[in-house]
Amino acid sequence: MIRILKENAEIILPQNGLEEKAVQAGKENRKLIIKLGFDPTAPDLHLGHAVVLKKLKQFQELGHQVIIVVGSFTARIGDPTGKNKARQPLNAEEVKHNAETYISQLAKVIDVEKAKIVFNSDWLDALPFSEVIQLMSQVTVAQLLQRNDFSKRFTENIPIAMHELVYPILQGFDSVQIECDIEMGGTDQLFNCTMGRQLQEIHGRSPQIVMCMPLLKGLDGKEKMSKSLKNTIGLTDTPNEMFGKTMSIPDTLINEFIDLTTDFSVEEKENLKLRIKDGENPMYIKKLIAKNIITQYHDPESAEQAEMFFTNQFQNKNDDEKVFEPVSLNSLNNRQESMTLSELCHQLKNKESKSFIRRLIINGGIQINHQKITDPDEKVAVTKGTKIKIGKRSFFELL
Amino acid sequence: MIRILKENAEIILPQNGLEEKAVQAGKENRKLIIKLGFDPTAPDLHLGHAVVLKKLKQFQELGHQVIIVVGSFTARIGDPTGKNKARQPLNAEEVKHNAETYISQLAKVIDVEKAKIVFNSDWLDALPFSEVIQLMSQVTVAQLLQRNDFSKRFTENIPIAMHELVYPILQGFDSVQIECDIEMGGTDQLFNCTMGRQLQEIHGRSPQIVMCMPLLKGLDGKEKMSKSLKNTIGLTDTPNEMFGKTMSIPDTLINEFIDLTTDFSVEEKENLKLRIKDGENPMYIKKLIAKNIITQYHDPESAEQAEMFFTNQFQNKNDDEKVFEPVSLNSLNNRQESMTLSELCHQLKNKESKSFIRRLIINGGIQINHQKITDPDEKVAVTKGTKIKIGKRSFFELL
């Protein structure tokens, strides 16, 4: 059991802590309590998050108790970056909405019915200022400034507002409140999770085990997968998106994807890695990875269809042979006989920002009926049969 | 008017701020509001505090409004210095008691009837955590670490607990709450007072003027006057104590004492300094200073008597010629026919700690009937006529 739980984990602190906690819980005839915290700010879970979630799922499958701590307090306050102005804080309604979205995405990996969902505003809202001060007295400034990002900013004279230093303390206090045995996170959470250990000890509790999963790299193969870097595969991406994006990863990322994104058995994983090593075309392995991912988040049929679509779209060279996604004229907003190119493209790809679309047009990334147009403000006829190619992968036909 | 107010002030920030505030208040036909804050922890005001209080008195005499902010919030929390344990916080009862003691001592200088006394727990107790965070977002870590003592500790790796950094923010927030025009303090308060300016501006108010008075040196002539250094002249000291202590200051301190502790006129002050310069025996000038101080905190008769007592005690060499302070046998607690020397001396000098008394005995500082006794546990007869000399200045006779 412990072997499975330790698989892929990059940091377990203290090293033998997991075994000891398990033995202790066994003696006390109780489940382990595993914490995962998140701030409900515009959630959009991707395969990077799933690395941690899949580990939580393993704990669940072994009968342990997962507690999801929604950072409703933190999120409602907002995170003012300027010195004089606070960012517009989220209101209670928005927090609730975001939390629901997040939890519905969690359900793609873990059993949310069995997980306990708690909101840290339940204890932080009511925390008297005198107890806040008490809590802050238990942590030193130097200790907080050791956190990598704080340390870097401090050294480079980039302002750190005082309340930013308080966040790790609050995250640690959450662990005190829910009395968890283990806190899960990415390796970037090591510092904050360690704060939980410290505060639990000060409050006379057994300190939690910190378990950090590796940070999955994004599609660029360089930076960690992150929404702001636009290098993600989202858990709610369509099968075609998942397939195409997986095929786009650099070959150097294949082993990492095998380990962290698929649910192949250990033996299957080793076998795939061997095939790469033996010189097999990486494209075939990527296809297997892509289908495995789609099967996890959609179903096997969608995985097959996505493969066919991909082969059709990208492996046949001629645009005319592509499948164009039909778009009803009636589905367009404010439709007129002609629209500016940028407006039309933005409606078809509304996940992208307007400025992104304009740049794409100017850089020659858009074709109308196989004609490149580079003026975003050019009016184009909006009529049945118009074919629009946006970027390398998106093909639409107005009907 | 402004000339008087500026007299002796070491820092006025911004430099012309006082004039501008006065003009502004004049236009608005209102009084200036001058803030002085203090933490009600075991108050014992001395001439160092009086430097600031005398300045407040001048503002009062010109018709302005003094507000005393009692740091009842800070004091109830306590100031835990260890990392894991908070110092026993003061309870509400103790805070109230200390505040009353403090205010009664204030009355020795300012008109407390005309001053407004407020307690910062009135607004800080009820401050929701979310607003605490908001407040902290308005100040950066680097800024707080610029405060001299923090900077020194940070550089020398001496732990600074997070809540310590919050104190200057709270002091600044007090200024926002009471909407003061001027905050008074010693020069060691410059940083904290400047925080008030910053927070008032962020909260859309006109920033306060910071007015810092010099820190009076203590009897040693080296360190600032401070209870913990035992180099003070207390506002509640007896006339004899005030006289003796003033006579004990080094000659280098005379000019500073003339300026900061007396209420001589500007001309009289200049004249005294000239007399020193012209080679007059400094002892005569010190006597004038001592009598001036006693007249301020007691009355002119007490000043005369103290001078006579001093002359008798210290300028006549023979102990037999001293005046022994009569102590009734009945006034002793748990009186028995004989008591240990340390117990007897401690009852006579109960302002000193027991350990201080024991050390004094062991070091030969105590005489019973002109006989030195160096064993603190030796039993001495407690009878009428017993003469006890404690240290250099205290003479008692049991009656």
Side-chain angles (χ1 to χ4, degrees):
Chain A
M1 163 195 136
I2 295 286
R3 193 188 57 79
I4 296 175
L5 291 176
K6 285 183 138 181
E7 193 191 330
N8 283 335
E10 191 163 324
I11 299 168
I12 298 177
L13 184 83
Q15 243 179 350
N16 295 321
L18 198 55
E19 287 85 345
E20 286 167 16
K21 279 278 185 190
V23 168
Q24 190 61 31
K27 272 186 196 163
E28 294 167 6
N29 197 24
R30 65 177 185 82
K31 302 169 179 177
L32 288 169
I33 297 174
I34 303 100
K35 168 193 175 192
L36 178 70
F38 80 96
D39 272 0
T41 45
D44 236 334
L45 297 192
H46 52 64
L47 291 186
H49 299 111
V51 176
V52 174
L53 296 176
K54 285 151 80 116
K55 185 55 68 183
L56 282 184
K57 187 187 185 182
Q58 290 179 331
F59 276 101
Q60 282 192 318
E61 285 169 349
L62 289 165
H64 297 296
Q65 176 66 58
V66 166
I67 301 189
I68 305 291
V69 180
V70 182
S72 44
F73 180 81
T74 317
R76 279 224 313 273
I77 292 162
D79 184 7
T81 41
K83 249 192 285 186
N84 295 6
K85 274 190 196 168
R87 200 179 73 175
Q88 193 61 29
L90 295 178
N91 62 36
E93 202 51 46
E94 291 164 319
V95 166
K96 187 162 172 280
H97 172 78
N98 287 345
E100 280 165 6
T101 310
Y102 183 91
I103 290 161
S104 77
Q105 293 185 15
L106 282 186
K108 290 193 164 284
V109 185
I110 68 166
D111 185 340
V112 289
E113 296 297 322
K114 280 190 188 152
K116 196 169 153 189
I117 317 262
V118 297
F119 292 75
N120 70 2
S121 52
D122 282 354
W123 51 86
L124 291 177
D125 267 346
L127 198 66
F129 190 10
S130 54
E131 284 183 33
V132 175
I133 295 275
Q134 201 70 24
L135 198 56
M136 289 202 279
S137 76
Q138 293 158 351
V139 181
T140 72
V141 182
Q143 194 185 359
L144 292 166
L145 287 179
Q146 273 165 18
R147 203 177 85 173
N148 286 345
D149 54 342
F150 287 149
S151 157
K152 190 169 184 299
R153 285 165 64 190
F154 190 71
T155 312
E156 293 173 1
N157 294 318
I158 299 166
I160 306 169
M162 267 295 282
H163 75 300
E164 297 186 72
L165 281 200
V166 175
Y167 282 141
I169 304 179
L170 297 186
Q171 183 168 336
F173 186 61
D174 288 348
S175 294
V176 175
Q177 285 292 313
I178 68 167
E179 305 191 40
C180 53
D181 298 296
I182 301 166
E183 180 161 7
M184 293 284 312
T187 49
D188 53 355
Q189 284 295 309
L190 175 62
F191 182 92
N192 290 353
C193 295
T194 308
M195 196 54 64
R197 286 176 58 79
Q198 176 173 338
L199 292 180
Q200 283 174 318
E201 270 201 293
I202 291 173
H203 286 81
R205 312 246 159 91
S206 166
Q208 66 188 11
I209 306 308
V210 177
M211 198 161 173
C212 297
M213 302 302 294
L215 298 176
L216 181 68
K217 285 207 186 69
L219 303 178
D220 51 36
K222 285 171 193 152
E223 306 282 346
K224 75 165 186 172
M225 188 171 281
S226 151
K227 193 180 161 191
S228 63
L229 296 174
K230 300 193 176 218
N231 62 1
T232 67
I233 298 179
L235 301 193
T236 55
D237 278 357
T238 64
N240 285 348
E241 285 170 327
M242 284 181 170
F243 204 100
K245 287 178 175 181
T246 305
M247 295 308 290
S248 79
I249 65 170
D251 295 347
T252 49
L253 216 57
I254 293 178
N255 279 355
E256 189 172 326
F257 262 59
I258 290 173
D259 279 332
L260 300 179
T261 71
T262 72
D263 63 0
F264 291 125
S265 70
V266 176
E267 294 72 28
E268 287 169 325
K269 287 178 176 179
E270 288 315 308
N271 183 259
L272 287 177
K273 290 181 197 171
L274 269 180
R275 283 166 63 180
I276 301 255
K277 213 171 172 185
D278 289 348
E280 186 164 340
N281 184 343
M283 193 181 67
Y284 299 132
I285 309 295
K286 286 191 204 172
K287 283 187 173 178
L288 292 173
I289 296 172
K291 284 199 284 185
N292 180 286
I293 291 172
I294 298 166
T295 304
Q296 289 177 66
Y297 300 101
H298 297 277
D299 51 70
E301 295 71 40
S302 304
E304 291 301 328
Q305 283 167 16
E307 181 176 20
M308 279 167 53
F309 178 81
F310 179 83
T311 309
N312 168 60
Q313 296 296 89
F314 304 104
Q315 294 189 275
N316 305 332
K317 295 270 164 69
N318 191 334
D319 275 1
D320 274 338
E321 292 172 40
K322 306 288 183 192
V323 174
F324 282 76
E325 189 181 322
V327 175
S328 158
L329 281 172
N330 293 329
S331 70
L332 297 176
N333 292 328
N334 300 322
R335 180 166 65 91
Q336 295 178 316
E337 285 185 11
S338 69
M339 294 166 78
T340 65
L341 182 60
S342 64
E343 171 61 17
L344 177 62
C345 292
H346 183 61
Q347 287 207 24
L348 295 170
K349 295 281 282 181
N350 56 21
K351 271 195 179 177
E352 302 293 351
S353 71
K354 289 195 174 171
S355 58
F356 175 84
I357 294 282
R358 289 186 73 88
R359 273 198 309 276
L360 196 63
I361 297 172
I362 291 164
N363 292 329
I366 309 273
Q367 291 180 15
I368 301 285
N369 296 331
H370 310 306
Q371 296 288 324
K372 202 177 278 184
I373 304 186
T374 56
D375 176 4
D377 298 319
E378 181 164 335
K379 293 265 186 178
V380 296
V382 179
T383 51
K384 275 192 189 185
T386 304
K387 286 181 171 178
I388 304 117
K389 181 185 177 194
I390 300 178
K392 284 183 187 157
R393 292 192 206 150
S394 299
F395 300 83
F396 301 95
E397 181 170 5
L398 300 182
L399 290 173
Chain B
M1 166 195 135
I2 295 287
R3 191 188 59 81
I4 296 175
L5 290 176
K6 283 182 141 180
E7 193 191 331
N8 284 334
E10 189 162 327
I11 301 168
I12 297 177
L13 185 84
Q15 244 179 347
N16 295 321
L18 198 56
E19 287 83 346
E20 287 167 16
K21 279 276 182 191
V23 168
Q24 189 62 31
K27 273 187 196 163
E28 293 167 9
N29 197 23
R30 64 174 184 85
K31 302 169 180 177
L32 288 169
I33 297 174
I34 303 102
K35 168 193 174 193
L36 178 70
F38 80 96
D39 273 1
T41 46
D44 236 336
L45 297 192
H46 51 66
L47 291 186
H49 299 110
V51 176
V52 174
L53 296 176
K54 285 151 80 116
K55 185 56 66 183
L56 282 184
K57 187 187 184 181
Q58 290 179 331
F59 277 101
Q60 282 192 320
E61 286 168 349
L62 288 165
H64 297 297
Q65 176 67 58
V66 166
I67 301 189
I68 304 291
V69 180
V70 181
S72 44
F73 180 80
T74 317
R76 278 224 313 274
I77 291 162
D79 184 6
T81 42
K83 248 192 288 186
N84 297 4
K85 276 190 196 166
R87 200 180 73 172
Q88 194 60 29
L90 295 179
N91 63 37
E93 203 51 46
E94 290 164 320
V95 166
K96 188 162 170 278
H97 171 78
N98 287 346
E100 281 165 6
T101 310
Y102 183 90
I103 290 159
S104 77
Q105 294 186 14
L106 283 186
K108 290 191 163 286
V109 185
I110 67 168
D111 185 340
V112 290
E113 296 298 321
K114 279 191 188 151
K116 196 169 154 190
I117 317 261
V118 297
F119 292 76
N120 71 2
S121 52
D122 283 354
W123 51 86
L124 291 177
D125 268 346
L127 199 66
F129 190 10
S130 53
E131 284 183 33
V132 175
I133 295 276
Q134 201 71 23
L135 198 56
M136 289 201 280
S137 76
Q138 292 158 350
V139 181
T140 73
V141 182
Q143 195 185 355
L144 292 166
L145 288 180
Q146 274 164 20
R147 204 177 83 172
N148 288 346
D149 55 341
F150 288 150
S151 158
K152 189 169 184 303
R153 284 165 64 188
F154 190 70
T155 312
E156 294 174 359
N157 294 317
I158 298 166
I160 306 168
M162 267 296 282
H163 75 298
E164 297 185 73
L165 281 199
V166 175
Y167 282 142
I169 304 180
L170 297 186
Q171 183 168 337
F173 187 61
D174 288 347
S175 292
V176 175
Q177 285 293 313
I178 68 167
E179 306 192 41
C180 53
D181 297 298
I182 301 166
E183 181 163 6
M184 292 284 311
T187 49
D188 52 356
Q189 285 295 310
L190 174 62
F191 182 93
N192 290 354
C193 295
T194 308
M195 196 54 64
R197 286 177 57 81
Q198 176 173 339
L199 292 180
Q200 283 174 318
E201 269 201 294
I202 291 172
H203 287 80
R205 311 246 160 90
S206 167
Q208 66 189 10
I209 306 309
V210 177
M211 197 161 173
C212 298
M213 301 304 291
L215 299 175
L216 181 68
K217 287 208 186 69
L219 302 179
D220 50 36
K222 287 171 190 153
E223 307 283 343
K224 74 165 184 171
M225 190 171 281
S226 151
K227 191 181 162 189
S228 61
L229 296 175
K230 300 191 176 221
N231 63 359
T232 65
I233 298 178
L235 301 194
T236 55
D237 278 356
T238 63
N240 286 348
E241 285 169 328
M242 285 181 170
F243 203 101
K245 287 179 176 181
T246 305
M247 296 308 290
S248 79
I249 65 170
D251 295 349
T252 50
L253 217 57
I254 292 178
N255 279 354
E256 190 173 326
F257 261 58
I258 290 173
D259 279 333
L260 301 179
T261 71
T262 71
D263 63 358
F264 291 125
S265 72
V266 177
E267 294 70 28
E268 286 168 326
K269 286 178 178 181
E270 288 315 308
N271 183 257
L272 287 178
K273 289 182 199 170
L274 270 180
R275 283 167 64 181
I276 300 257
K277 217 174 168 181
D278 289 348
E280 184 164 341
N281 185 342
M283 193 182 67
Y284 299 132
I285 308 293
K286 285 190 204 172
K287 283 187 177 180
L288 292 174
I289 296 172
K291 284 197 282 184
N292 181 286
I293 291 172
I294 297 167
T295 304
Q296 289 177 67
Y297 301 102
H298 297 276
D299 50 69
E301 293 72 39
S302 305
E304 291 301 330
Q305 281 166 16
E307 182 177 20
M308 278 165 56
F309 178 81
F310 180 84
T311 308
N312 169 61
Q313 296 297 89
F314 305 105
Q315 295 191 274
N316 305 332
K317 295 268 162 72
N318 192 335
D319 273 3
D320 274 337
E321 291 171 41
K322 306 289 183 191
V323 173
F324 284 77
E325 187 178 325
V327 175
S328 158
L329 281 172
N330 294 328
S331 70
L332 296 175
N333 293 327
N334 301 319
R335 179 167 66 92
Q336 295 176 319
E337 287 186 7
S338 68
M339 293 167 79
T340 65
L341 181 62
S342 64
E343 170 60 17
L344 177 62
C345 292
H346 183 62
Q347 286 206 26
L348 296 169
K349 293 283 283 182
N350 57 20
K351 269 195 179 175
E352 301 295 349
S353 70
K354 288 196 175 169
S355 56
F356 176 83
I357 293 285
R358 289 186 74 87
R359 273 200 307 279
L360 196 62
I361 297 172
I362 291 164
N363 293 327
I366 309 273
Q367 291 179 16
I368 301 283
N369 296 330
H370 311 306
Q371 296 289 323
K372 202 177 277 182
I373 303 185
T374 55
D375 176 3
D377 299 319
E378 180 165 335
K379 294 264 185 178
V380 294
V382 179
T383 50
K384 275 194 188 182
T386 303
K387 288 181 170 180
I388 305 122
K389 180 185 178 193
I390 302 179
K392 285 185 189 157
R393 289 190 207 152
S394 300
F395 300 82
F396 301 95
E397 180 171 4
L398 301 182
L399 290 172

